[in-house]
């Protein structure tokens, strides 16, 4: 019995010795060198923990300038993680927050592009029926009448129903229609045109160029008319050749149209051209998403 007690006592002292040595070893590394056997084991403990000298560390704590953490950048990183996990709804919410809450963040331009692509996938999808309805043709209906009644455009009716031209319709025919209640925001300073659904950002389009002498003060207006230009002639959606022609949007009381840029135009011709020029594909899409009567704001703050 006494032998077993001595064994346990020796074991206890051994454990206490190890714990004491470990504590002294950690003190040597983390707090201050102790010399002796510890210095032989680790001559320079500051290199192990990669810490700054005490004086430099104190200066860093006293400094008033701490590294800025951009909240938009953090939100973008989270959105990127959600996209990688196929959580598109949550990712779009994060991206939309960057667009609306942190518009000056370095991540805002790419956030606008990604969320714009995601929005257009839904808005222009015939399979996605949210915001779209079915109009049953009645006797006396015409395409223009259906477009007016449903606050949409002939372009959108043709697109949603896979039409290449406006043919005859009969009572009982079903047409997919989508109201176009969007508004445009034109920002010459940022060289951007964006489309909004109330306070919800949908899509942004870069401005290729702005014609010289184009007056663009702060103002609110509306879309007066839309159409296409072919060989110097204006075409309406029902006209032959409309689909392949360059689109334009004209505003009420503002002599500054949105136009499709022609890359073959000479520099001399560009000098005298007035208007806001977008790329051809962007102008096609913007023309499809708008109708006469949509609100337009030109926001051009003084520098």
């Amino acid at each position: 019995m006494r032998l077993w007690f001595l064994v346990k006592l020796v074991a206890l002292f051994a454990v206490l010795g190890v714990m004491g040595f470990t504590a002294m070893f950690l003190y040597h590394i983390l707090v201050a060198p102790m010399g002796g056997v510890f210095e032989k084991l680790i001559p320079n403990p500051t290199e192990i923990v990669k810490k700054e000298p005490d004086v430099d560390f104190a200066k860093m704590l006293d400094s008033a300038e701490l590294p800025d953490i951009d909240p938009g950048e953090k939100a973008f990183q989270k959105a990127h993680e959600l996209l990688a996990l196929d959580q598109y709804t949550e990712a779009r919410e994060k991206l939309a927050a960057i667009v609306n809450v942190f518009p000056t963040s370095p991540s805002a331009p790419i956030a606008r592009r990604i969320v714009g692509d995601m929005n257009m996938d839904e808005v222009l999808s015939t399979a996605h029926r949210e915001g779209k309805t079915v109009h049953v043709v009645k006797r006396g209906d015409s395409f223009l009448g259906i477009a007016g009644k449903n606050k949409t455009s002939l372009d959108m009716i043709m697109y949603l129903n896979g039409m290449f031209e406006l043919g005859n319709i009969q009572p009982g025919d079903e047409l997919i229609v989508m109201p176009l209640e969007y508004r445009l925001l034109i920002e010459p300073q940022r060289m951007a045109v964006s489309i909004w659904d109330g306070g919800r950002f949908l899509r942004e389009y870069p401005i290729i160029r702005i014609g010289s002498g184009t007056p663009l003060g702060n103002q609110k207006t509306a879309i007066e008319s839309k159409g296409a230009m072919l060989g110097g002639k204006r075409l309406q959606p029902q006209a032959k050749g409309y689909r392949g022609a360059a689109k334009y949007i004209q505003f009420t009381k503002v002599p500054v149209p949105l136009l499709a840029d022609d890359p073959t135009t000479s520099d001399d011709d560009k000098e005298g051209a007035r208007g806001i020029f977008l790329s051809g594909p962007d102008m096609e899409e913007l023309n499809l998403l708008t109708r006469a009567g949509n609100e337009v704001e030109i926001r051009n703050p003084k520098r």
Side-chain angles (χ1 to χ4, degrees), residues 39-201:
E39 187 175 8
K40 292 181 180 179
L41 290 173
I42 302 179
N44 191 356
T46 59
E47 293 183 359
I48 301 300
V49 297
K50 297 181 180 179
K51 69 177 182 178
E52 298 290 335
D54 292 342
V55 175
D56 292 341
F57 185 71
K59 287 181 179 179
M60 185 180 73
L61 291 178
D62 292 337
S63 174
E65 297 182 2
L66 297 176
D68 291 332
I69 300 176
D70 178 51
E73 189 69 24
K74 290 180 65 177
F76 183 78
Q77 292 174 1
K78 182 60 178 179
H80 188 275
E81 295 172 4
L82 292 169
L83 286 172
L85 297 172
D86 294 336
Q87 298 180 19
Y88 297 111
T89 301
E90 294 84 350
R92 182 160 58 181
E93 289 176 356
K94 289 288 183 183
L95 293 168
I98 297 171
V99 173
N100 292 304
V101 183
F102 311 113
T104 60
S105 169
S107 299
I110 189 170
R112 281 191 286 267
R113 181 178 63 78
I114 295 173
V115 77
D117 289 342
M118 297 173 76
N119 288 337
M120 288 303 103
D121 284 345
E122 287 188 356
V123 170
L124 298 178
S125 171
T126 54
H128 185 80
R129 291 303 181 93
E130 184 178 348
K132 304 176 181 71
T133 59
V134 174
H135 177 89
V136 180
V137 177
K138 299 179 178 61
R139 187 177 301 277
D141 275 351
S142 66
F143 281 109
L144 280 174
I146 294 170
K149 183 177 180 180
N150 291 280
K151 296 183 178 181
T152 188
S153 67
L154 296 178
D155 297 279
M156 185 57 77
I157 290 176
M158 293 172 67
Y159 174 83
L160 292 177
N161 294 278
M163 299 177 176
F164 292 98
E165 60 182 21
L166 295 172
N168 295 324
I169 50 176
Q170 303 294 329
D173 289 346
E174 295 185 348
L175 296 173
I176 302 173
V177 294
M178 182 175 74
L180 300 174
E181 298 284 51
Y182 305 134
R183 64 182 179 91
L184 292 184
L185 175 61
I186 302 173
E187 298 175 274
Q189 195 175 63
R190 287 186 55 240
M191 293 293 284
V193 176
S194 53
I195 187 166
W196 296 73
D197 182 8
R200 177 187 170 220
F201 169 83

Side-chain angles (χ1 to χ4, degrees), residues 6-52:
L6 290 174
V7 170
K8 291 196 291 183
L9 189 62
V10 170
L12 175 62
F13 281 114
V15 170
L16 292 174
V18 171
M19 292 177 63
F21 182 83
T22 302
M24 295 172 69
F25 188 70
L26 290 174
Y27 183 89
H28 171 70
I29 294 176
L30 299 175
V31 181
M34 295 182 62
V37 66
F38 300 105
E39 187 175 8
K40 292 181 180 179
L41 290 173
I42 302 179
N44 191 356
T46 59
E47 293 183 359
I48 301 300
V49 297
K50 297 181 180 179
K51 69 177 182 178
E52 298 290 335

